[in-house]
Amino acid sequence: MYNEEAYDKFLKLKEKEDFYILALESSCDETSASVTLGRKILSCSIASQIDIHKRFGGVVPEIASRNHTLAVGTVVKEALDKANVTLKDISAVAVTEGAGLLGALLVTVSYAKALAFALDIPIIGVNHIAGHIAANYIDSDIKPPFVCLIASGGHSAVAIAKGYNELEILGESVDDAAGEAFDKVARVLGLGYPGGPLIEKLAEQGSPVIDFPKAFKNKPQLNFSYSGLKTAVINYIRNRESKGETVNKADIAASFQKTALEMLIDNCIKAAAEKGFKQICIAGGVGANSVLRKGVEKKASELDINVHYPKNLYCTDNAAMIGVQAYYMIKEGLGYRKTDFDCRPFLKINEK
Ligand code: KG4
Ligand code: ZN
């Protein structure tokens, strides 16, 4: 059953611009809350758990959930204070419903349900990847349609954002995601977590002299594969070490990064060229990589294609992107959730 009153309020928001959304995100290891006025970000508070998970070399799901529970109240208060509003001003609560770690998602989904119940306002359930794409709308006038390169810890894909709520996938990873490969290779190199920024930094001191294999090379398709590349890096290190040789970690980082990023660069350029798009947007944590950005920009400029990416803060997980996407869902009457809705850990990139 719908809560009829909350649903009526949801439908009325379609006609308005001056309403506040409180957005929440806790799909992995960042607890975040944001207040938006319409599609404008007023605040974004993020509590990162990187220091907690670093010692384990990756995110430990149960520890993540516990720390979301500890942090959620504080980030919500910070976001409200910074936006200079109180809970009474909020017209809708938006929350990441998937994909992500089940126990981690449950924290803000449950928090959102309690808030919606107490304030008698609607809940909007947001797809995390739709949020990453919407990060491009923050501080910019970018509008769909465009080709979108999605590269996060859980997903790699190239897609067409046909509208704010419509995504056509052209290619996806058949195994690991790009960010996952960065994290795994960083772990093998003993660099720590999260791997992406650490590999990018180390790669600056090395040269891409090692020829790691690139999946689907010269094949006319737009899928990605990272598990072979990851295994090639592990084998390279083991082979050298078993012979008593020392390995040059900076060269490995530079070589891995080059191959990993080339796949992303090639596929989004190929997609834009084939489908005739003049705009590419980058979404997800790997989008913070400056070599990726420059690589896409260089090839795109040769074809007269514009490239856009969010600023670093909005590339990795944050609630502001969830608030912006919720705004565009409200405008199309999408995402209203009944208070007994469940979170969706395996939600697909283009699922509503
Ligand atoms: O989008 P995100 O914050 O979370 C997910 O939705 O998964 O992405 C996190 C991923 C991690 O795998 C992290 O290593 C990667 O993004 N990442 C990077 C960089 N910064 C973060 N990868 C490459 N270069 C970076 N500078
Ligand atoms: Zn993410």
Side-chain angles (χ1 to χ4, degrees):
M1 268 291 288
Y2 284 119
N3 168 346
E4 299 291 347
E5 270 181 41
Y7 190 59
D8 275 353
K9 287 180 183 173
F10 170 72
L11 293 177
K12 282 185 186 137
L13 290 179
K14 216 187 225 188
E15 317 305 328
K16 292 187 177 176
E17 285 302 314
D18 59 340
F19 61 91
Y20 295 100
I21 303 171
L22 174 64
L24 304 169
E25 152 69 40
S26 68
S27 62
C28 190
D29 60 347
E30 261 99 30
T31 327
S32 181
S34 167
V35 175
T36 76
L37 173 61
R39 51 153 282 172
K40 185 169 180 270
I41 307 298
L42 299 184
S43 64
C44 180
S45 170
I46 305 174
S48 171
Q49 298 180 19
I50 285 176
D51 285 343
I52 296 166
H53 297 282
K54 220 156 53 180
R55 78 190 89 137
F56 304 107
V59 178
V60 183
E62 190 171 326
I63 295 176
S65 313
R66 286 184 179 182
N67 283 285
H68 287 311
T69 305
L70 295 175
V72 65
T74 310
V75 294
V76 167
K77 185 168 182 336
E78 262 179 29
L80 292 169
D81 289 351
K82 213 170 149 206
N84 209 14
V85 296
T86 69
L87 280 178
K88 286 193 194 114
D89 299 312
I90 303 297
S91 294
V93 54
V95 64
T96 302
E97 61 180 358
L101 301 169
L102 172 64
L105 290 165
L106 272 172
V107 175
T108 43
V109 166
S110 305
Y111 197 95
K113 286 182 186 187
L115 272 182
F117 177 74
L119 302 171
D120 199 16
I121 55 172
I123 305 180
I124 322 299
V126 179
N127 184 319
H128 182 76
I129 295 297
H132 272 304
I133 298 169
N136 281 282
Y137 310 137
I138 303 173
D139 306 327
S140 94
D141 294 325
I142 295 281
K143 289 182 181 64
F146 50 77
V147 162
C148 189
L149 173 65
I150 298 155
S152 72
H155 297 91
S156 305
V158 61
I160 300 173
K162 293 181 156 179
Y164 292 105
N165 291 294
E166 204 186 343
L167 197 65
E168 182 190 333
I169 299 173
L170 302 174
E172 273 188 284
S173 179
V174 297
D175 41 53
D176 295 351
E180 194 180 352
F182 271 89
D183 293 337
K184 284 181 179 166
V185 168
R187 197 198 284 209
V188 175
L189 291 174
L191 301 181
Y193 177 84
L198 298 167
I199 289 202
E200 183 178 1
K201 196 149 179 269
L202 183 61
E204 285 166 15
Q205 295 158 36
S207 306
V209 288
I210 309 159
D211 192 19
F212 289 128
K214 191 155 84 177
F216 308 126
K217 201 173 169 181
N218 303 326
K219 294 264 163 60
Q221 55 87 57
L222 296 168
N223 285 338
F224 306 88
S225 167
Y226 284 100
S227 102
L229 173 59
K230 174 195 70 190
T231 308
V233 174
I234 294 170
N235 288 344
Y236 177 89
I237 296 169
R238 289 211 181 120
N239 280 342
R240 296 293 180 291
E241 286 180 347
S242 69
K243 290 182 203 152
E245 297 172 17
T246 50
V247 293
N248 183 328
K249 288 188 181 183
D251 283 351
I252 295 173
S255 307
F256 160 77
Q257 175 171 268
K258 181 170 182 283
T259 311
L261 297 184
E262 266 174 12
M263 262 187 267
L264 299 173
I265 297 165
D266 291 352
N267 279 3
C268 71
I269 295 291
K270 214 192 293 177
E274 277 173 13
K275 301 283 177 183
F277 282 84
K278 288 290 173 199
Q279 189 163 260
I280 294 175
C281 289
I282 305 178
V286 184
N289 187 295
S290 58
V291 183
L292 172 67
R293 291 171 172 182
K294 279 184 208 134
V296 177
E297 279 170 335
K298 186 164 179 284
K299 288 208 169 168
S301 71
E302 290 161 14
L303 298 169
D304 216 12
I305 296 169
N306 290 321
V307 181
H308 189 270
Y309 40 82
K311 66 179 179 190
N312 278 3
L313 174 72
Y314 298 131
C315 276
T316 46
D317 292 347
N318 67 86
M321 66 186 196
I322 302 302
V324 174
Q325 180 57 21
Y327 166 84
Y328 286 110
M329 293 172 77
I330 289 168
K331 291 291 148 191
E332 293 185 25
L334 297 167
Y336 178 85
R337 295 290 178 253
K338 295 179 261 183
T339 38
D340 62 352
F341 84 104
D342 202 354
C343 44
R344 303 160 80 187
F346 302 108
L347 190 65
K348 293 199 177 72
I349 293 180
N350 59 349
E351 247 182 300
K352 292 203 176 78

